[in-house]
Amino acid sequence: MPTPLNQRHNANAIRILAMDAVQKANSGHPGAPMGMADIAEVVWREFLSHNPKNPKWANRDRFVLSNGHGSMLLYALLHLSGYDLTIDDIKNFRQLHAKTAGHPEYGYVDGIETTTGPLGQGIANAVGFALAEKTLAGQFNKPDNAIIDHHTYCFLGDGCLMEGVSHEACSLAGTLGLGKLIVYYDDNGISIDGEVEGWFSDDTAKRFESYHWQVLCVDGHDDEQIREATVQAKAQTDKPTLIICKTVIGMGSPNKQGKEASHGSPLGADEIVLTRATLGWDNANAFEISDEIYKAWNACDKGECLENDWNAQFADYETKYPNEADELKRRLSGQLPQDFSAKADDFIKACQTKAESIATRKASQNTIAAFAPLLPEILGGSADLAGSNLTLWHGAKSVQAYTDGNYVHYGVREFGMTAIANGVALHGGFIPYTATFLMFMEYARNALRMSSLMKQRVINVYTHDSIGLGEDGPTHQPVEQIASLRQTPNHFTWRPCDAVETAVAWKMALYTTNAPTSLILSRQNLDHQTRTDEQVALIEKGAYVLAKEQSDLQAIIIATGSEVALAIQAHKILTEQGVGVRVVSMPCAEIFVKQDRDYIQSVLPSHVRHRVAVEASIVDYWYKFVGLDGKVIGMTTFGESAPAKDLFNHFGITTDKVVQAVQSLI
């Protein structure tokens, strides 16, 4: 028989901390932590391999709380296990500058592996962790030494399973056979609106079986069943496992357990008194945990032993395989090879010398082919469009076909792909890039926002960047997307105008360790632009003078991507007319505005008020650079279906229009 509720002191410590913290904050979700406390106690005390004194230990198990609104569950686990999270931090739950934010936030406290805010993305991140573990193991493990060998544990709830991103990610996880992914489903039947059976009647077990998962069902309050299921999950190495845990939300609250009342609101002072009695909790004061329970929970000594054993294993690995060991350490540190910058610069110079007029999507493929052999940590992938966005390269090996692969065929799963890539980046040892058409960035938008929020080095390759893609029409022609990306905090958007700027954009993305980068690339061929070596070096600053004025400076044309060629043609015409005009190529506005004032003034002198911006996307963004008195040539409507040349003429994005705009200003 299961242990009576009032005797489960270790699990009840979670319930006490959760309900007390939510009550003190007068905000939060006590129900999920109280309902999942028994599952968490078994997983964390008996199975999770981790070291609270070194939360970044490379071979630790990863734990993801996908139903992140139940954040007090994770905070209680970290506090009780011995992480640097004090009882005062618990008391400060949901307050300004607290480590214990409303949802777990990566970087706020050690032990939080990912930011799980919007439901469904946590499980997708967990798939990324498991993918990274399996791929890194395939690249570094030896027959006599499995140096990379850990599991990913994930808790999730009904909301995660209703969100579409979980379907995308879990379907792929089954296809990839991620056997070290173990997921616990908090099947409590309750969401904010009440009993979910009125809007969520899926047969979850059959769904996951169809995804090629192992599915187990247990009583989520029976320690022995949870234990046996976890052992069975670890034994299944070819499939991920879903353990469906039938639980009672708010377990222990006599009047609110099993009800939506415990989901997203404090229990109330009177109910907390009754709950303490129901749990057999001797301490009447809030936040009081006995030394005996702290001792039972503390994982520091066990964690240190686990890590020491692995360190000894790594020492043996280092002796037998010194080159692989050095490479693994470098990759886990996140540092690029020392000689990479020089080699990248050599490639950039070669692009300038070659002077090819090609589509920037093709230039990107050439760059990947040049850089990827130098960077085995690159783990690429595309949402079923590799032949169009040109992200496959000669040395690419599918992870579906090779244990040491470096390329993921994500299928038509833009949101899942991007959220999985976030997990790959968080795991360490890889620099992930993903790819799709720019228009389909909209499907991935929230995951892209999360990589920006978490400061992760994820590279997004977005091709078919404007009305220039032509006949597919307005549904596929991005108009407002580039502006949306540029306005996302901690995110860098590059729209290069030729092969040289594309190569520089890739280099900068690879060296940007604390933010994601989006590369906005053309379908159509673009003219090569002639530059000096000095101008090539200035591309890294985000904007530079590409064509100088031939007389006193009267006007400035700012352009990106395919429209730089229009600006250069306009510059030639205006110069012949005696107009002092310069062209500024601005492939990355976010980097440019971070430059020092002197450089910004050297490119865009404030006294020159006559400015024209040209870009085949929404015009509104560019007024920050041209001012309200300037002019912007671009899109104010959606596109149309027609050949690209006809569309540029129809929407007035032409050399003549640029010339006329400058003339009208001066």
Side-chain angles (χ1 to χ4, degrees), residues 159-179:
C160 295
L161 292 179
M162 285 186 255
E163 288 287 359
V165 66
S166 69
H167 296 248
E168 295 182 28
C170 292
S171 170
L172 185 61
T175 300
L176 295 175
L178 301 180

Side-chain angles (χ1 to χ4, degrees), residues 339-352:
D339 61 349
F340 175 73
S341 181
K343 291 181 177 179
D345 289 343
D346 288 342
F347 176 76
I348 292 166
K349 291 177 182 177
C351 290
Q352 182 68 19

Side-chain angles (χ1 to χ4, degrees), residues 185-223:
Y185 166 32
D186 181 25
D187 184 15
N188 61 39
I190 297 293
S191 66
I192 291 176
D193 282 354
E195 297 181 5
V196 301
E197 61 184 11
W199 48 87
F200 183 51
S201 58
D202 298 16
D203 189 328
T204 298
K206 287 183 180 178
R207 169 149 62 93
F208 274 78
E209 287 170 356
S210 77
Y211 290 160
H212 308 294
W213 286 53
Q214 174 179 234
V215 179
L216 308 172
C217 299
V218 303
D219 178 346
H221 302 296
D222 187 322
D223 289 5

Side-chain angles (χ1 to χ4, degrees), residues 283-562:
N283 297 324
N285 297 326
F287 302 103
E288 281 196 15
I289 306 293
S290 69
D291 291 342
E292 180 183 5
I293 290 177
Y294 274 124
K295 183 177 180 181
W297 267 103
N298 193 288
C300 295
D301 290 343
K302 179 183 176 182
E304 186 177 9
C305 289
L306 289 169
E307 184 176 358
N308 285 341
D309 289 345
W310 185 82
N311 288 338
Q313 181 183 354
F314 187 80
D316 177 67
Y317 184 91
E318 197 167 21
T319 298
K320 294 178 179 177
Y321 312 104
N323 294 334
E324 290 90 337
D326 287 345
E327 179 68 3
L328 180 58
K329 286 189 289 186
R330 180 192 68 77
R331 285 175 55 172
L332 291 174
S333 75
Q335 299 299 311
L336 301 185
Q338 289 185 351
D339 61 349
F340 175 73
S341 181
K343 291 181 177 179
D345 289 343
D346 288 342
F347 176 76
I348 292 166
K349 291 177 182 177
C351 290
Q352 182 68 19
T353 301
K354 198 170 185 180
E356 283 188 297
S357 294
I358 56 176
T360 50
R361 61 172 175 159
K362 179 60 179 175
S364 172
Q365 184 182 46
N366 293 343
T367 305
I368 295 171
F371 288 179
L374 308 174
L375 301 172
E377 59 264 48
I378 286 181
L379 183 62
S382 175
D384 200 50
L385 293 167
S388 293
N389 54 45
L390 303 183
T391 46
L392 275 173
W393 54 287
H394 181 68
K397 296 170 63 178
S398 169
V399 300
Q400 280 92 334
Y402 298 92
T403 57
D404 62 343
N406 57 11
Y407 193 87
V408 186
H409 293 277
Y410 282 104
V412 187
R413 299 183 178 96
E414 293 88 358
F415 193 178
M417 169 182 70
T418 311
I420 289 169
N422 288 344
V424 170
L426 287 159
H427 178 278
F430 291 103
I431 301 173
Y433 72 79
T434 67
T436 187
F437 291 174
L438 177 57
M439 189 66 246
F440 304 148
M441 175 278 294
E442 294 289 359
Y443 285 141
R445 185 72 178 84
N446 204 278
L448 187 147
R449 182 177 185 270
M450 297 302 284
S451 53
S452 299
L453 186 64
M454 292 189 285
K455 303 178 181 179
Q456 292 304 298
R457 177 168 48 182
V458 179
I459 302 172
N460 310 290
V461 177
Y462 294 134
T463 67
H464 296 60
D465 66 345
S466 69
I467 59 171
L469 66 88
E471 292 86 346
D472 276 341
T475 59
H476 283 53
Q477 292 167 4
V479 172
E480 72 276 24
Q481 284 66 36
I482 302 177
S484 174
L485 290 170
R486 287 176 177 141
Q487 291 172 335
T488 302
N490 196 49
H491 177 270
F492 296 101
T493 306
W494 284 83
R495 187 171 185 246
C497 74
D498 64 2
V500 177
E501 286 191 358
T502 302
V504 173
W506 260 105
K507 178 189 174 185
M508 294 296 289
L510 289 163
Y511 275 104
T512 301
T513 59
N514 61 351
T517 299
S518 290
L519 306 178
I520 313 300
L521 307 172
S522 72
R523 177 196 185 195
Q524 71 274 30
N525 289 344
L526 304 185
D527 294 340
H528 168 76
Q529 300 300 328
T530 303
R531 302 174 186 82
T532 65
D533 290 344
E534 180 184 9
Q535 286 173 310
V536 172
L538 292 175
I539 296 172
E540 293 187 3
K541 293 182 177 290
Y544 63 103
V545 178
L546 177 60
K548 297 181 180 179
E549 61 277 10
Q550 299 302 306
S551 56
D552 291 343
L553 182 59
Q554 296 172 275
I556 300 173
I557 304 171
I558 306 169
T560 77
S562 51

